[in-house]
Amino acid sequence: MRAGRAPSPLRHCTLLAGLAVALSAHQAGAQDASPDPVTLDRVQVTSARLQAVAAFDVPASLSTITLDGSAATPGVSVSEALGGVPGLAARERQNFAQDTQLSIRGFGARSTFGVRGLRLYADGIPATMPDGQGQVSHFSLAGAERIEVLRGPFSALHGNSSGGVVQIWSADGVDPTQGHAQASAGRDDSRVLSASVRGAGDVFGGALAASRFDTDGWRDHSAARRTSLNAKLHADLPGGGRVQLVGNHFDAPDAQDPLGLTAEQVRDDPRQATAVARQYDTRKSARQDQLGLRLEQPLGGGHALEAMAYAGRREIEQFLSVPVGAQSNPLSSGGVIDLDNDYGGLDLRWRWAGSLAGRTLEFTAGANADRQRQHRRGYENFVGDTLGVRGALRRDERNRVQNLDQYAQAWWQFAPRWSLLAGVRHSDVRFRSRDGYVATGNPDDSGRVDYGETTPVVGLTFAPHDDWRLYASAGRGFETPTFNELGYRADGGAGLAFDLLPATSTNVELGTKWRNARGVRLEAALFRADTDDELAVARNVGGRSSYRNVGSARREGAELAALLPLGTDWSLALAATWLDARFRDAFPICTGAGCTDPTVQVPAGTPIPGTARRQASARLQWQPGDWRFAFEAVGVGRIGVDDTGSEQAPGHVVAHADAARTWNTGHGRWRAFVRVDNVFDRAHIGSVIVNEGNGRYYEPAPGRGVLLGLRWDWQAGMD
């Protein structure tokens, strides 16, 4: 690595090893002072596709966030729960017409809408389509039990666009029946109502959850409403099996989009909406319904069968601010997107838990197939002189993408203190497009392209002590372009960009995990991902982005997470990330309006936009009796907004505080809470729109705000 840049990985390894040795020595002393043994939690590591192996023993960075209803948050966005996960950036945009921005170790950072480059699941059902585009808007926090975040090489076992994995799991039905109701209100007339109920009998059980969110929006022209429903029903089968039916509904009509701001507009008034947002009444409506069926059935002798089938439909209507003049181009697809997505899939796997050479072995093999049928129409966003209404048809195509994957994985504890986790996945992804809009100057754009990739991964874990793990892992990953990225050619010509190649990555990770009987937890990791055929924006014209492969890129860094009990009532949680994400090859791009011949050179070594070099968070909590008080601080470094590095969103540190009081009564438990966000009223940028063609890169975050809430948890049979 060049002088003046980040310390070498070898130096980081030495520091991590020294820290782990020191902590192990401290833990040994603590164990002498305390006879209490450490109990290992044998939880299913679903993100790593393991069942009988504790997360502590997996050679990967895996975080589990428990959602027990104690958080002093509204429960609207998944970003509320992800702030303390190292390596992950979850940026709430104050724009509910767009999804939360998620990236892991720099993967997914370039996405301007939705979630890109990551695999998402809700109750085991993919929320990422076969083309790699995903969304978390339908993730229901009202009835959720936990969120799992998997980072590093083993993410590749989930297939296309596996820069990281985020899974949300809703709670199961239980006996006795229990539930909750919660209401909260905050700034800008934001209101949230949620409720859940869970029950189970000898055979059948279920859980239902619902929430409703309304807001006038912190920025002008940003009002929104969201309604979500989630149901999870189960039936126990003979032999220890279980079948589950999961359904959810999400509806967000006419969420206003204030668009991004330029740096000058942010200085002027960070709460304003861009003028064209009002002019064209930019807005988005989203509706999604889906069902999933999961079967788990032990077969005896350590064998088990797991099967999953799902189907759903997502409808999008979005009004953009594409200028009327830009739509005079015969290749323009207009300024209104009308998108219907029908999707579904199957997953079948066999699992065996036994022994090899007298040592514990868990083996899994399976296959999955997913299909997405997309009817994409585009309309002009004007009729005569009236703007912001649906006009003439300008695009009509039917797209289909499907994948067929096969995978196998084995975990083997081949020695008392050593274990091996290895896996391989082969993926075939096929894109088809049939153009139904052929006109003068706009020829038939139908076409097809196929991608295939094999992604092996391997990890080794060493346990120098019962409560200390060292591990190393390596693997390959790949990321196909999505249909949105295939939608427009970089040369401005007709047809889809079927010349794009998938990006392929080589990932390595070194890490350590440690804990003691007093509840201290420490995890640290070094990582590097080298990508070939990296995808990046080639040009922005008429409100549309086109992409190209730009050579190689590198994402490397270090993560640290710690949980430190500070006595009976105090605790401190820390998370820190250092990330150096850069293009390693120079490449040309277009920057001027209407440009089709790229002449501006992005030099090698330019930081990948949308990534922060440093990110850290700390939460200090005091819980005396029925009270709880907490203070949080979150710091983020500067974030580049485009490939050339022409501008950066300034770094910032923001503090939050919350307090809660609990009352246990004969009719359940009541909890009142108050939260103050941005305690010191710091002006800062919450998220950026990478490579925004008009220079409106910035989405400001709100100033100081207060949230008040009341929650009731009840259980059947209480006096």
Side-chain angles (χ1 to χ4, degrees):
M1 194 168 290
R2 294 192 293 269
R5 294 279 298 281
S8 70
L10 179 60
R11 186 179 304 175
H12 280 301
C13 292
T14 304
L15 290 173
L16 282 182
L19 178 61
V21 169
L23 286 172
S24 179
H26 172 76
Q27 188 269 349
Q31 225 179 22
D32 292 340
S34 174
D36 297 332
V38 176
T39 301
L40 298 182
D41 297 325
R42 309 301 291 184
V43 297
Q44 294 185 15
V45 189
T46 51
S47 296
R49 299 191 184 279
L50 293 170
Q51 196 165 45
V53 182
F56 192 66
D57 294 311
V58 177
S61 296
L62 176 64
S63 299
T64 300
I65 303 97
T66 301
L67 305 174
D68 57 5
S70 64
T73 56
V76 174
S77 170
V78 69
S79 63
E80 300 168 18
L82 298 177
V85 178
L88 183 148
R91 300 184 180 119
E92 190 53 62
R93 309 179 64 174
Q94 299 304 312
N95 179 355
F96 292 98
Q98 305 293 345
D99 218 338
T100 300
Q101 285 186 343
L102 287 182
S103 65
I104 293 179
R105 296 181 176 179
F107 287 98
R110 77 168 186 273
S111 181
T112 56
F113 59 92
V115 179
R116 182 73 183 87
L118 310 179
R119 296 296 297 181
L120 309 171
Y121 297 87
D123 285 316
I125 299 172
T128 299
M129 296 295 102
D131 67 344
Q133 186 77 39
Q135 60 280 321
V136 294
S137 56
H138 71 293
F139 278 18
S140 174
L141 295 180
E145 182 180 62
R146 72 185 188 277
I147 299 175
E148 295 178 2
V149 181
L150 177 66
R151 311 179 295 285
F154 277 92
S155 302
L157 282 180
H158 290 261
N160 180 24
S161 295
S162 298
V165 180
V166 179
Q167 297 206 62
I168 189 168
W169 293 93
S170 55
D172 291 326
V174 293
D175 182 26
T177 302
Q178 58 188 251
H180 93 279
Q182 178 173 315
S184 63
R187 63 176 150 215
D188 310 309
D189 202 21
S190 296
R191 308 167 308 281
V192 185
L193 295 173
S194 68
S196 69
V197 60
R198 299 189 289 150
D202 293 337
V203 176
F204 299 100
L208 302 174
S211 68
R212 176 68 170 266
F213 167 65
D214 289 274
T215 182
D216 289 344
W218 181 72
R219 292 180 58 194
D220 295 339
H221 194 72
S222 62
R225 167 177 291 176
R226 288 184 169 186
T227 302
S228 67
L229 303 171
N230 197 79
K232 188 175 182 181
L233 310 177
H234 75 258
D236 293 326
L237 305 175
R242 172 171 283 195
V243 61
Q244 290 185 331
L245 178 66
V246 180
N248 60 58
H249 166 78
F250 173 78
D251 187 33
D254 292 325
Q256 295 177 329
D257 188 350
L259 304 179
L261 300 177
T262 65
E264 183 179 354
Q265 288 172 326
V266 171
R267 288 190 294 267
D268 238 9
D269 177 9
R271 301 188 66 166
Q272 67 176 301
T274 304
V276 292
R278 293 189 178 280
Q279 185 181 11
Y280 287 91
D281 190 16
T282 50
R283 61 198 185 275
K284 177 181 175 182
S285 296
R287 181 185 176 95
Q288 178 171 311
D289 296 281
Q290 70 178 27
L291 281 174
L293 188 68
R294 293 174 54 85
L295 169 69
E296 300 176 9
Q297 182 63 57
L299 302 176
H303 299 273
L305 182 68
E306 298 180 14
M308 184 269 291
Y310 72 98
R313 181 176 178 84
R314 186 174 178 89
E315 301 170 350
I316 299 290
E317 182 186 50
Q318 185 170 13
F319 288 78
L320 306 174
S321 61
V322 179
V324 172
Q327 297 174 65
S328 62
N329 185 330
L331 298 180
S332 171
S333 56
V336 179
I337 297 172
D338 187 342
L339 182 62
D340 294 335
N341 250 327
D342 293 306
Y343 57 90
L346 301 167
D347 191 303
L348 180 65
R349 74 184 67 157
W350 161 73
R351 189 188 306 276
W352 177 67
S355 63
L356 176 65
R359 298 289 181 181
T360 302
L361 174 71
E362 180 177 323
F363 181 80
T364 302
N368 75 278
D370 304 276
R371 185 176 67 178
Q372 171 187 3
R373 292 182 179 272
Q374 183 184 91
H375 188 191
R376 180 183 290 269
R377 287 159 293 190
Y379 299 87
E380 293 174 345
N381 57 0
F382 63 93
V383 175
D385 295 329
T386 304
L387 305 179
V389 296
R390 181 182 295 212
L393 180 70
R394 298 297 301 273
R395 184 176 189 174
D396 186 2
E397 65 189 36
R398 295 184 181 272
N399 301 319
R400 185 180 67 188
V401 58
Q402 60 189 38
N403 70 278
L404 178 62
D405 292 15
Q406 308 87 39
Y407 56 87
Q409 177 179 293
W411 181 87
W412 184 33
Q413 189 172 11
F414 61 89
R417 294 195 175 274
W418 292 88
S419 62
L420 178 73
L421 179 61
V424 64
R425 186 182 189 105
H426 178 76
S427 301
D428 288 304
V429 186
R430 300 181 176 184
F431 291 80
R432 304 288 185 270
S433 181
R434 180 164 58 84
D435 191 0
Y437 181 82
V438 180
T440 303
N442 191 328
D444 189 344
D445 298 334
S446 303
R448 56 184 290 175
V449 64
D450 297 340
Y451 301 114
E453 193 70 35
T454 299
T455 52
V457 292
V458 63
L460 188 66
T461 302
F462 172 56
H465 189 277
D466 288 347
D467 304 316
W468 181 22
R469 301 291 184 268
L470 296 171
Y471 68 87
S473 59
R476 295 272 293 170
F478 80 107
E479 179 182 356
T480 69
T482 66
F483 253 123
N484 289 324
E485 292 165 339
L486 290 169
Y488 305 95
R489 286 171 40 176
D491 61 5
L496 302 183
F498 286 130
D499 59 333
L500 291 178
L501 301 174
T504 57
S505 299
T506 301
N507 302 272
V508 295
E509 179 177 346
L510 297 174
T512 185
K513 306 176 185 181
W514 177 82
R515 60 188 180 182
N516 72 7
R518 293 189 172 96
V520 176
R521 300 290 186 269
L522 173 70
E523 296 187 12
L526 303 173
F527 59 87
R528 172 179 287 180
D530 287 324
T531 303
D532 294 322
D533 295 316
E534 177 80 18
L535 288 159
V537 171
R539 63 196 288 261
N540 277 300
V541 177
R544 297 292 191 268
S545 297
S546 57
Y547 293 80
R548 68 174 55 190
N549 297 104
V550 297
S552 63
R554 170 171 289 174
R555 299 165 175 89
E556 62 180 351
E559 297 172 355
L560 175 67
L563 177 61
L564 308 171
L566 305 176
T568 306
D569 302 327
W570 291 83
S571 65
L572 177 64
L574 302 170
T577 306
W578 171 77
L579 172 65
D580 187 27
R582 297 177 182 272
F583 297 111
R584 301 187 70 194
D585 291 334
F587 60 94
I589 62 170
C590 278
T591 57
C595 168
T596 58
D597 182 19
T599 56
V600 176
Q601 197 76 6
V602 176
T606 300
I608 295 176
T611 63
R613 193 175 178 84
R614 296 176 181 86
Q615 180 174 308
S617 67
R619 178 178 172 88
L620 180 64
Q621 184 168 293
W622 178 41
Q623 192 162 348
D626 293 328
W627 288 90
R628 192 192 70 185
F629 304 91
F631 185 81
E632 300 175 5
V634 179
V636 179
R638 294 176 296 176
I639 300 175
V641 300
D642 62 3
D643 290 336
T644 64
S646 64
E647 296 183 30
Q648 292 180 322
H652 61 268
V653 177
V654 180
H656 315 292
D658 62 74
R661 172 68 159 88
T662 300
W663 295 268
N664 291 306
T665 72
H667 300 286
R669 184 181 65 182
W670 292 84
R671 186 173 61 88
F673 61 87
V674 58
R675 178 179 174 90
V676 181
D677 287 305
N678 197 354
V679 172
F680 302 109
D681 202 24
R682 291 288 304 273
H684 63 287
I685 301 299
S687 60
V688 300
I689 306 172
V690 174
N691 289 312
E692 208 281 339
N694 300 290
R696 300 192 293 257
Y697 305 114
Y698 304 103
E699 294 180 305
R704 184 187 300 114
V706 178
L707 175 75
L708 298 173
L710 182 65
R711 181 182 176 97
W712 173 44
D713 289 281
W714 58 270
Q715 181 174 301
M718 297 186 69
D719 295 331

